Amino acid sequence: TSVENLSRRVSAHWNDATLQSMEELLQGNPSIVITAHRSPDGDAVGSTLGLYHLLTAMKLRASVVLPDRFAPFLDWMPSSESIAFHSEASEAVENLVAGADVIFCLDYNSLDRAGLLSGSIEKSGAKKVMIDHHREPDSFVDVMVSDPTCGSTCELVCDWALASGHWGDMSIAAAQCLYTGIVTDTGSFRFPSVSSHTHGVVSALLDLGLKHSEVHESTFDDQSLSRVQLQGFAMSERLKIWKDGGVGVVALHLNDLERFNYESGDTEGLVNRILGIRGIRMAIFMKESEPGKVKLSLRSKGSVDVQALAVANFSGGGHTNAAGGVLRGMSLAEAKTKVVSVIDAWVSSEA
């Protein structure tokens, strides 16, 4: 069957020893807590909920806890209402983490990425499992599945279900969550990390009865008018382009966000719209998230390595073509000056 063929092509990081360790950790009805990184995106929410549905189908006790809330366009995901957020119920979440036998760390590879959860995860005596696809992981876990060649953590969770013989526990709810993470983290299958195996996994999810068009509609076609207007304003009034270097930057002030009644997630995807402009090879989106703190999203095409730029200049990280960072202790104007100097240096180095 196609599932048998697929199971032979899963990430090499799901080797026999790792699969054995996973099986042993899940023996004896352990208390399982599933976590992901702060400011959770589609892959973080999709992988945690997808794994939650798989483990629940295996009759295991699992809960999902996240450092803070995600954008409302992911609220439709099955069982999202069961997630506990540290930012809203810190004591309850810390008790859950403290009482866990097994903690899954999904879509992050260093404790500081877990935000408000990092302290309680570090203190916990639970066995820890990392399933992630970011470069240069820290070794704070007992079982590590880290594959930077993979386009999403959700694909790695699907690989585990395939390789471990648990594909039969894949419900439509799990498939919806995992497909969402694959679609969002691969930029709708546009990044080079997408492989024939990615499409094979998606094909297997469709064979289960997943309606991908419904996922797309729920995730991408449910935007508020103010979000659309904010993105239009950003592109028409706040875009700066370096024609020679093929770089585009949008910077939004807190006042800009307030003017358009900003809600979490309203600027999601904006950086990809910059990258979509003809001739642009690198896109940077800057947002003043609070006074003295500017968040950055970086995207690129081909061999332009935005991860290296983010690590070197913006206390960030990520992937070759998609990275993030933050500038603290400076106004948006000061942050823009810094970004302009970094881009000028990069453009002259490329010339």
Side-chain angles (χ1 to χ4, degrees), residues 168-324:
D169 293 307
M170 183 76 73
S171 61
I172 294 291
Q176 287 174 320
C177 297
L178 294 165
Y179 179 77
T180 302
I182 293 172
V183 170
T184 53
D185 237 38
T186 59
S188 296
F189 305 102
R190 83 159 64 106
F191 296 136
S193 53
V194 173
S195 64
S196 62
H197 180 66
T198 309
H199 288 288
V201 166
V202 167
S203 173
L205 294 174
L206 292 176
D207 286 342
L208 293 172
L210 169 73
K211 292 187 166 55
H212 64 284
S213 55
E214 290 177 5
V215 173
H216 272 267
E217 207 167 292
S218 304
T219 307
F220 300 112
D221 300 339
D222 191 32
Q223 303 181 50
S224 66
L225 179 59
S226 56
R227 173 182 169 167
V228 175
Q229 289 173 329
L230 170 63
Q231 295 211 1
F233 167 82
M235 296 298 280
S236 62
E237 305 295 324
R238 295 288 184 262
L239 175 64
K240 175 178 169 61
I241 285 180
W242 281 252
K243 280 216 172 97
D244 297 345
V247 182
V249 177
V250 164
L252 289 179
H253 200 278
L254 267 175
N255 294 347
D256 296 331
L257 302 176
E258 284 161 11
R259 176 180 160 189
F260 290 95
N261 305 312
Y262 173 80
E263 283 187 345
S264 166
D266 279 357
T267 54
E268 188 88 22
L270 184 53
V271 68
N272 292 324
R273 297 181 71 172
I274 306 168
L275 193 64
I277 299 167
R278 183 182 303 148
I280 296 293
R281 296 190 301 146
M282 174 163 66
I284 300 179
F285 170 59
M286 308 170 60
K287 176 180 71 180
E288 187 179 31
S289 57
E290 58 191 69
K293 183 179 175 187
V294 178
K295 288 185 172 178
L296 297 94
S297 292
L298 301 87
R299 298 290 183 274
S300 66
K301 293 172 185 164
S303 60
V304 176
D305 187 349
V306 288
Q307 195 229 14
L309 272 186
V311 169
N313 304 286
F314 309 128
S315 310
H319 312 278
T320 303
N321 297 117

